[in-house]
Amino acid sequence: MTLAGCAPDDAPSGAAGVVVLDEERGEIRLPIDEYIPQRTDSGLLASASQAMAVGCAREAGISFMAPAPIENEIYRSEGLFGPWTTWQAEKFGFVSPTLSDADLREGGVVPEDYGVPGDPAALAQVLEVNDAMSAADQEAVLECYDAPGQKAFRLPSGPGPWLAEFGAADERARTSEAVVAARAELDDCLRREGLEPDPETFVVGADENVIDEEQIGLAVTYVACKQETRFTETVAQVFADEQAQVVEKYDDDLAAVAAELVTVREAAREYVADHPEVFEPPQ
């Protein structure tokens, strides 16, 4: 089994047990990620669906508008037993590293002046156009979301038996001797650095709902120990090896699912790119 350093967008992991650790994005790609939509996929598919609905509504003479799609790289970021890169620790502390600045502000985790500001004017424009619709117009728009063309942005395959087996594989990995040993090594490092490990909150004093100087300091030390012990690389490979067994068992079925996801993703990207007018006020 192989552990890779990085990969281009949408690149398949190749062999079933390959892990992709992208430190720049904070992304950890395991075998299962080829077969289920990621957060970035969900946003893209929603934008394409709304773009098609806007076009449908405008053909019926209804003024409707979609917000411009934003491909936020932070949604690729994730953790494996907490933050694993220094930049995640410095930005988020122990808070989930999958949140944009807007998400953090909206959740009350950080003050309103934190991070990159949004574009309230653009959102206000969308709301102004859409709030002017009558009840009948709104009903018509809902019907546009059920138009046959919308199927292009939906995965035709339903959940298969592999989903439960992937879950069981992750549980085997989580309780495996290799992961238990890796956590023990990490805990030893943390104690040397003056921190007390806590299986529930990473280390004593860690708070997954607060970003402040204290939390960032704890998280930076936590990540430094992860890097020293190669904790993330070790644990990610254990998870990948367990997931690989499921991939091999359902090889043909999962290959079809992966192909469907690629097709749907490409259709959504193409549609959004070909219809910039739906993100502008109707003329």
Side-chain angles (χ1 to χ4, degrees):
M1 299 304 179
T2 306
L3 188 139
C6 60
D9 288 353
D10 305 329
S13 64
V18 167
V19 176
V20 175
L21 298 179
D22 186 334
E23 292 191 27
E24 184 176 347
R25 288 173 164 172
E27 183 178 20
I28 301 172
R29 288 175 60 186
L30 297 171
I32 190 176
D33 294 328
E34 284 190 51
Y35 312 108
I36 58 174
Q38 304 302 297
R39 290 191 70 191
T40 48
D41 292 326
S42 298
L44 173 63
L45 298 181
S47 289
S49 176
Q50 188 162 17
M52 180 172 283
V54 170
C56 166
R58 289 184 181 180
E59 286 180 3
I62 299 170
S63 291
F64 186 40
M65 182 179 173
I70 299 174
E71 192 159 337
N72 197 327
E73 284 292 286
I74 200 65
Y75 290 139
R76 298 181 184 273
S77 182
E78 56 196 307
L80 189 62
F81 295 97
W84 67 283
T85 71
T86 301
W87 73 260
Q88 287 175 330
E90 292 176 339
K91 179 177 175 65
F92 296 101
F94 291 98
V95 173
S96 172
T98 61
L99 302 173
S100 68
D101 292 344
D103 296 329
L104 293 170
R105 291 193 298 269
E106 185 176 340
V109 178
V110 295
E112 283 297 317
D113 59 357
Y114 177 89
V116 180
D119 186 355
L123 179 59
Q125 191 175 48
V126 174
L127 293 175
E128 181 181 1
V129 169
N130 295 347
D131 286 350
M133 287 191 296
S134 67
D137 288 343
Q138 292 174 14
E139 287 293 326
V141 166
L142 289 177
E143 291 179 6
C144 284
Y145 279 103
D146 287 329
Q150 292 279 355
K151 292 180 180 178
F153 313 130
R154 297 171 188 157
L155 289 172
S157 293
W162 48 82
L163 287 181
E165 295 197 32
F166 274 127
D170 285 354
E171 184 58 29
R172 288 196 302 273
R174 191 172 289 106
T175 57
S176 68
E177 290 185 7
V179 169
V180 170
R183 296 196 70 168
E185 187 178 1
L186 174 63
D187 289 351
D188 288 342
C189 177
L190 292 170
R191 291 189 180 98
R192 289 196 301 271
E193 295 299 324
L195 302 183
E196 183 59 33
D198 186 330
E200 298 298 324
T201 59
F202 314 119
V203 296
V204 172
D207 192 327
E208 296 180 69
N209 299 298
V210 173
I211 301 174
D212 60 19
E213 187 175 349
E214 179 185 6
Q215 290 299 310
I216 289 172
L218 288 173
V220 167
T221 302
Y222 182 74
V223 167
C225 276
K226 275 188 164 182
Q227 293 171 342
E228 179 182 323
T229 60
R230 294 186 61 80
F231 176 87
T232 302
E233 292 89 338
T234 300
V235 171
Q237 193 62 65
V238 175
F239 274 76
D241 291 345
E242 290 289 350
Q243 291 181 7
Q245 298 178 44
V246 182
V247 174
E248 290 164 3
K249 179 177 179 180
Y250 294 100
D251 185 28
D252 292 340
D253 291 327
L254 287 173
V257 170
E260 287 175 1
L261 181 55
V262 170
T263 297
V264 169
R265 185 189 291 131
E266 289 177 351
R269 281 184 179 154
E270 183 177 347
Y271 195 89
V272 167
D274 288 347
H275 295 83
E277 72 283 355
V278 304
F279 308 112
E280 298 291 339
Q283 301 299 317

